[in-house]
Amino acid sequence: MPGAKYELYGRPTEPTDPNADVLTVQESAFVLKCSVSHLRRWLRENPKLRTYSGRRLVTNRRVRDAYYRMNQGVRSARIPAQRSAA
């Protein structure tokens, strides 16, 4: 059973305006159709793209475009590796 913090910060939430310049990580995950933890992990790997509003991590349009370009077609292109016969 998820805790209260997960319910608040771990689930993607639908933004009131998906085309807004600045969105929270939860709203951005909803727009980008990925999980919040995946987006946070990706932002941790790309520190130049992180933006803060006070203590809150937010994403702007530039970050969402970069995420989309870097991950474009990655999910559809993943093919499981063939195991070699032992």
Side-chain angles (χ1 to χ4, degrees):
M1 182 153 133
K5 295 283 185 180
Y6 176 79
E7 293 293 330
L8 282 176
Y9 305 114
R11 289 194 175 178
T13 57
E14 187 172 3
T16 55
D17 180 16
N19 296 320
D21 188 40
V22 177
L23 295 175
T24 64
V25 175
Q26 293 81 13
E27 293 170 339
S28 296
F30 185 88
V31 170
L32 294 169
K33 296 181 177 131
C34 67
S35 68
V36 174
S37 60
H38 173 76
L39 187 56
R40 286 183 185 276
R41 194 170 38 248
W42 184 79
L43 287 169
R44 196 176 321 122
E45 293 169 2
N46 299 290
K48 291 183 180 180
L49 297 175
R50 283 187 281 187
T51 309
Y52 291 92
S53 173
R55 294 187 64 202
R56 181 177 225 158
L57 181 63
V58 294
T59 60
N60 57 22
R61 192 178 306 268
R62 181 179 60 90
V63 171
R64 292 191 302 273
D65 289 341
Y67 177 85
Y68 182 74
R69 279 193 316 272
M70 290 177 79
N71 294 314
Q72 186 176 17
V74 171
R75 291 182 185 150
S76 61
R78 288 187 185 169
I79 300 172
Q82 296 280 333
R83 292 187 184 231
S84 60

